[in-house]
Amino acid sequence: MSRLQAEHLYKVFGRRPNEAVARLQDGAGRDELRADGTTAAVIDASFAVEAGQIFVVMGLSGSGKSTLLRMLNGLLEPTAGRVLFDGQDLTALSPRELRQVRSHKISMVFQHFALFPHRSVLENAAYGLEVQGVAREERDRRATEALGLVGLAGWENSWPDELSGGMQQRVGLARALATDADLLLMDESFSALDPLIRRDMQDQLLELQKRLKKTIVFITHDLNEAMRLGDSIAVMRDGRIVQIGTAEDILVTPANDYVASFTQDVDRSRVLTAGAIMADPQEALGTTTPDGTVLRTERDVLEAAPATVTADTPIVELFTPCSRSGVAVAVTDEEDSLIGVVPRARLLAVLGEPDPGADGAAPQEGRKTAGAAVAKTSGATEATDAPDAPEAPEGKVIAGA
């Protein structure tokens, strides 16, 4: 069972919200409701987050992503739908029960730090534990450990205004970690930081995640940040989730032109991996090397390959071996068994522009790889030019993806 589930969530602000939900379910558009003085912030959002996963929600301002996040911990009550955490329906809890869940199981990291200026760094980091009623000595110990995790050891007695923006955000992250919450909600937590500091914080989050294995929902409007952090990414537009998938899914099989417009400037060579674009090893059998050797077995393929890589190797590292040899690069598993090959034509083809579905529909359930977008016969893909602005029709919601 998934750690966190959102089931058909709606959030409507304004008059007669339940009536507005019914109209949306009958096919009414967001603009129709707005004309009547009602705002549909989130429309029929469904997704699941697995334990230890970083689930990124990405969209432009006004897409509904922050509203969605606040429904996950009960700061906003859904107009319709449910939020399940470890199988417990958070939308059915009393206010007191919900406060207990928020103080012990769910932590939030805000965009603008939200530090108390009259409290020291240590006291800020320990605030969540203070709310829980943890004794002073214990909360100071745990807050000190959390500050050490985020690289702020030695700054415990400093004041927030003595810290840089990046350091202040580390305090906010330490405050969330100190409570040992199972779920972290991060609302554009790095977007107020300078680019270099922002990248450092992304590095630190990824390093912490390797050690702590938290379940994280991360909100951002930055595609590069989403691609870098997300195990799974949901793209929102006008209150709806238009696609859910891995970074590779979204780059290579965008649900529609709107999603494709986000990805057109991404360096695909640093996001896509050998495992995403590899072909079946059988495709290399029967081929002939430049010196006339016929590759008849998988052992022949391994011996002739200009390089052997793992499935998670970025394809940028395949350019040199592919340029030096006409033989496909071999992809192996942990036991050094051949699991795929990357021919030169396939590598070049996958760097072309994505080809969103003509009907704007999201990919079918299940993982699609970049290799699915490459024609096996010629190693070429058809490419369509993404529009300058994301004005394409909305795609379909993937429920429970």
Side-chain angles (χ1 to χ4, degrees):
M1 181 178 64
S2 300
R3 197 71 194 268
L4 177 69
Q5 293 174 275
E7 297 182 350
H8 304 290
L9 287 178
Y10 288 80
K11 184 59 184 178
V12 176
F13 297 97
R15 298 173 296 175
R16 298 187 293 277
N18 291 326
E19 179 182 319
V21 169
R23 291 178 61 192
L24 289 166
Q25 292 172 338
D26 288 338
R30 204 184 194 194
D31 292 340
E32 294 179 52
L33 269 64
R34 188 179 293 117
D36 295 334
T38 302
T39 300
V42 175
I43 305 170
D44 197 21
S46 296
F47 59 86
V49 185
E50 305 303 323
Q53 185 181 56
I54 299 180
F55 183 85
V56 176
V57 182
M58 184 191 73
L60 300 176
S61 296
S63 61
K65 55 190 185 296
S66 291
T67 300
L68 176 61
L69 187 77
R70 281 161 171 74
M71 286 194 285
L72 298 182
N73 66 352
L75 289 178
L76 287 176
E77 182 180 357
T79 308
R82 299 194 305 166
V83 176
L84 303 177
F85 182 58
D86 285 340
Q88 183 179 34
D89 185 355
L90 300 188
T91 57
L93 299 181
S94 68
R96 181 177 180 180
E97 291 171 331
L98 190 56
R99 284 194 296 270
Q100 281 292 105
V101 170
R102 283 204 296 257
S103 63
H104 290 82
K105 295 185 178 182
I106 302 176
S107 287
M108 193 162 182
V109 182
F110 300 91
Q111 177 179 354
H112 296 294
F113 319 144
L115 302 183
F116 295 107
H118 61 286
R119 290 176 177 251
S120 69
V121 166
L122 180 64
E123 290 169 335
N124 269 285
Y127 179 73
L129 297 170
E130 183 179 343
V131 171
Q132 291 180 4
V134 176
R136 175 67 179 269
E137 183 177 350
E138 172 67 9
R139 67 175 184 255
D140 285 354
R141 180 188 67 78
R142 289 169 60 179
T144 300
E145 290 179 356
L147 289 168
L149 285 174
V150 300
L152 288 180
W155 292 87
E156 293 83 358
N157 296 319
S158 301
W159 299 99
D161 61 3
E162 297 176 322
L163 275 56
S164 67
M167 295 172 75
Q168 290 184 49
Q169 190 58 285
R170 290 172 195 261
V171 177
L173 182 56
R175 177 175 56 199
L177 295 174
T179 63
D180 197 27
D182 300 314
L183 175 65
L184 295 184
L185 304 180
M186 305 185 71
D187 188 9
E188 303 218 39
S189 300
F190 305 152
S191 62
L193 305 176
D194 293 334
L196 289 178
I197 298 175
R198 184 174 188 171
R199 187 170 181 86
D200 286 343
M201 290 299 299
Q202 293 168 2
D203 289 339
Q204 181 137 49
L205 179 62
L206 291 172
E207 186 61 34
L208 286 170
Q209 182 66 353
K210 289 180 183 178
R211 299 164 58 183
L212 302 178
K213 302 295 184 184
K214 296 291 185 181
T215 303
I216 301 173
V217 179
F218 191 101
I219 303 296
T220 184
H221 62 267
D222 184 335
L223 178 65
N224 287 310
E225 184 168 67
M227 296 279 178
R228 192 154 190 260
L229 297 180
D231 297 306
S232 186
I233 301 169
V235 182
M236 292 193 72
R237 184 191 188 194
D238 293 339
R240 298 182 184 272
I241 295 176
V242 296
Q243 185 170 1
I244 296 176
T246 65
E248 293 160 354
D249 295 334
I250 289 171
L251 270 180
V252 180
T253 54
N256 53 31
D257 288 340
Y258 175 75
V259 178
S261 70
F262 273 107
T263 67
Q264 60 187 346
D265 295 325
V266 172
D267 183 353
R268 304 156 76 80
S269 69
R270 298 187 181 277
V271 176
L272 300 177
T273 62
I277 71 169
M278 66 184 183
D280 190 280
Q282 295 296 319
E283 292 194 19
L285 300 182
T287 59
T288 304
T289 66
D291 64 5
T293 302
V294 178
L295 305 180
R296 303 185 186 281
T297 67
E298 291 189 357
R299 174 52 55 189
D300 293 340
V301 174
L302 285 168
E303 291 178 351
T308 300
V309 300
T310 59
D312 59 358
T313 302
I315 65 173
V316 68
E317 298 181 20
L318 308 185
F319 293 153
T320 298
C322 280
S323 68
R324 292 176 177 173
S325 173
V327 181
V329 170
V331 184
T332 59
D333 59 17
E334 295 177 353
E335 298 177 353
D336 294 327
S337 296
L338 184 67
I339 59 174
V341 292
V342 181
R344 180 192 300 170
R346 197 176 188 89
L347 176 63
L348 295 176
V350 80
L351 294 177
E353 291 295 327
D355 185 11
D359 62 354
Q364 296 297 314
E365 187 174 355
R367 182 182 176 83
K368 277 195 176 182
T369 65
V374 183
K376 292 184 178 180
T377 53
S378 63
T381 56
E382 295 182 2
T384 54
D385 293 330
D388 293 332
E391 294 297 331
E394 296 169 359
K396 300 175 184 177
V397 176
I398 304 177

